[in-house]
């Protein structure tokens, strides 16, 4: 196996493990709500505390990777997250489960916070866009696989058995990563970490990508957190196993994220990103009628478009990251991405529980339009600076 193929295999397996474990509770939120007498917002904490902890931990872990290297951080991440996943079904109370989910979120942070920088170092600037797209495709497959495995096994095995099944899938994938992940470049120096973070926060074009990560991911997770309640409730009233089939929409995301590099080559990053964000909003609007075919079509469209937007924004941030701040840029992007997942996911579940699906779609539409505005503003500043430099 060539070095490039080893890298892609390793990060794909790590992505499958990490994202299967991170979102495994999402299909069983209605069961958690029923067992522990929770509203949708309370049940959604099983997802939000993990993504929130990930968002908090990712920057310190990205900084650590500058000192100890990317590979040790990635390997520690995939192993520890599986260990916590195997312990989750043993938790006796809901608060105990939330504490362990927070610890699992910290463990998972090591992979997404470091992976883009690792790929940039191994494959170079020219290959990073396609590599990031392939990595996100693996992440998408992991998210879909974890949700489907959890949703389909929750009926016969209960939510505890469902989470155990996903942990076993994660263990297999983590073993593949441990065996195949090549070494990364030499660690950086400690005194450059803070300077790199300042650089990561100083470029408007990078700030625009962080805004996309925050707002688009918040929108996406808000919709999927509420999806189980909408599909199993009146008037659609699907069984949990059938409702979990909505996560098959992730297959479109794996295709669109892998194809994002070709889209960027054709129309440019700016047009590709704005178009994908607007298409995400259009897909969300499709789910408004109480018609199962339209709801399914809407989730297919919004999922495909969201992952295209994420791949473009993540690849853009990695490509524009200065060499001395790759880890910090990757960590900042990932922190805002999962901050969006945590805050947006919880807020969306609260909006759905108190105001219903139409109001959730309205809130999501506003967030996505704000993301479009951030891209326009951030790239306009960049264009103006380039023009001034040319005049001088």
């Amino acid at each position: 196996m060539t070095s490039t193929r080893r890298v892609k295999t390793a990060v794909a397996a790590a992505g499958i493990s990490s994202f299967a474990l991170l979102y495994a509770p999402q299909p069983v939120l209605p069961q958690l709500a029923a067992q522990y007498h929770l509203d949708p917002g309370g049940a959604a904490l099983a997802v939000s505390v993990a993504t929130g902890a990930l968002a908090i931990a990712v920057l310190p872990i990205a900084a650590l990777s500058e000192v100890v290297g990317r590979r040790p951080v990635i390997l520690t991440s995939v192993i520890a997250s599986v260990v916590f996943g195997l312990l989750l079904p043993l938790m006796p109370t809901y608060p105990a489960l939330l504490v362990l989910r927070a610890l699992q979120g910290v463990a998972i942070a090591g992979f997404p916070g470091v992976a883009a920088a690792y790929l940039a170092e191994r494959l170079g600037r020219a290959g990073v866009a396609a590599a990031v797209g392939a990595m996100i495709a693996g992440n998408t497959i992991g998210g879909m696989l974890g949700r489907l495995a959890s949703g389909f096994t929750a009926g016969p095995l209960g939510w505890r058995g469902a989470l155990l099944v996903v942990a076993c899938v994660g263990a297999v994938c983590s073993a593949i990563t441990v065996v195949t992940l090549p070494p990364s470049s030499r660690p950086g120096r400690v005194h450059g970490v803070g300077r790199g973070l300042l650089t990561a926060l100083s470029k408007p074009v990078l700030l625009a990508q962080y805004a996309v990560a925050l707002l688009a991911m918040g929108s996406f997770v808000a919709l999927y957190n509420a999806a189980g309640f909408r599909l199993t409730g009146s008037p659609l009233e699907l069984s949990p196993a059938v409702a979990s089939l909505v996560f098959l929409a992730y297959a479109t995301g794996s295709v669109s994220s892998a194809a994002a590099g070709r889209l960027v080559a054709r129309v440019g990053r700016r047009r590709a990103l704005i178009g994908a964000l607007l298409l995400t909003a259009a897909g969300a609007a499709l789910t408004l009628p109480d018609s199962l075919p339209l709801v399914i079509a809407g989730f297919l469209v919004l999922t495909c478009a969201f992952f295209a937007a994420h791949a473009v924004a993540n690849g853009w941030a990695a490509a524009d990251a200065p060499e001395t701040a790759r880890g910090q840029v990757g960590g900042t992007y990932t922190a805002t991405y999962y901050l969006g997942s945590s805050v947006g996911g919880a807020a969306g579940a609260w909006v759905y529980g108190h105001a219903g699906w139409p109001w959730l779609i309205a809130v999501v539409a506003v967030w996505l339009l704000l993301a479009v505005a951030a891209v326009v503003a951030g790239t306009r500043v960049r264009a103006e600076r380039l023009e001034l430099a040319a005049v001088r």
Side-chain angles (χ1 to χ4, degrees):
M1 185 183 293
T2 65
S3 177
T4 300
R5 290 185 66 184
R6 282 186 64 193
V7 169
K8 290 182 177 180
T9 299
V11 297
I16 291 171
S17 174
S18 298
F19 288 87
L21 291 166
L22 185 61
Y23 290 109
Q26 202 169 47
V28 299
L29 293 182
Q31 288 90 328
L32 287 172
Q35 177 165 344
Y36 293 110
H37 309 291
L38 306 167
D39 63 13
L45 288 175
V47 176
S48 294
V49 294
T51 53
L54 193 161
I56 293 169
V58 71
L59 274 174
I61 290 176
L64 178 66
S65 77
E66 297 285 347
V67 180
V68 304
R70 319 290 187 200
R71 186 176 187 270
V73 170
I74 292 174
L75 295 184
T76 301
S77 169
V78 296
I79 293 170
S81 59
V82 167
V83 171
F84 288 127
L86 292 170
L87 293 174
L88 271 177
L90 304 178
M91 294 300 99
T93 66
Y94 191 60
L97 183 142
L98 293 182
V99 169
L100 198 60
R101 282 287 289 165
L103 293 174
Q104 190 178 39
V106 173
I108 292 172
F111 172 69
V114 171
Y118 174 86
L119 290 173
E121 290 173 354
R122 290 290 312 187
L123 304 178
R125 181 185 175 94
V128 71
V132 167
M135 177 188 72
I136 292 173
N139 298 350
T140 307
I141 292 170
M144 179 178 68
L145 180 62
R147 289 166 166 100
L148 287 174
S150 176
F152 270 93
T153 56
L157 301 179
W159 65 265
R160 295 180 189 275
L163 295 184
L164 179 60
V165 168
V166 177
C168 291
V169 171
V172 173
C173 294
S174 295
I176 294 172
T177 299
V178 170
V179 171
T180 59
L181 187 70
S184 56
S185 64
R186 293 182 62 183
R189 292 177 293 182
V190 177
H191 71 262
V193 171
R195 186 164 59 249
L197 182 58
L198 291 176
T199 302
L201 297 174
S202 64
K203 296 181 68 174
V205 68
L206 293 177
L207 295 176
Q209 310 320 312
Y210 307 151
V212 170
L214 177 74
L215 295 164
M217 183 56 165
S219 302
F220 184 72
V221 175
L223 291 168
Y224 269 99
N225 274 357
F229 295 97
R230 173 159 166 77
L231 292 171
T232 58
S234 178
L236 299 177
E237 296 183 341
L238 303 178
S239 69
V242 174
S244 69
L245 290 175
V246 71
F247 297 111
L248 286 173
Y250 271 57
T252 67
S254 65
V255 174
S256 65
S257 57
R262 295 193 296 274
L263 180 64
V264 166
R266 267 184 134 178
V267 303
R269 292 190 181 111
R270 189 173 187 267
R271 288 182 180 178
L273 185 50
I274 291 173
L277 289 169
L278 293 176
L279 189 58
T280 305
L286 267 180
T287 67
L288 278 168
D290 292 328
S291 165
L292 186 58
L294 284 178
V295 171
I296 292 171
F299 272 99
L300 288 171
V301 171
L302 73 90
T303 304
C304 177
F306 164 75
F307 278 107
H310 173 38
V312 174
N314 198 359
W316 197 341
D320 274 30
E323 185 177 348
T324 57
R326 282 174 178 160
Q328 291 87 339
V329 169
T332 304
Y333 182 92
T334 305
T336 52
Y337 185 80
Y338 287 104
L339 181 62
S341 175
S342 179
V343 176
W350 185 90
V351 170
Y352 173 76
H354 289 79
W357 191 259
W359 276 102
L360 174 59
I361 298 302
V363 169
V364 162
V366 171
W367 291 347
L368 291 169
L369 290 175
L370 287 173
V372 169
V375 174
V376 171
T379 53
R380 180 179 295 164
V381 170
R382 185 187 192 192
E384 288 172 354
R385 288 185 177 180
L386 290 174
E387 288 175 6
L388 286 174
V391 170
R392 291 172 184 169

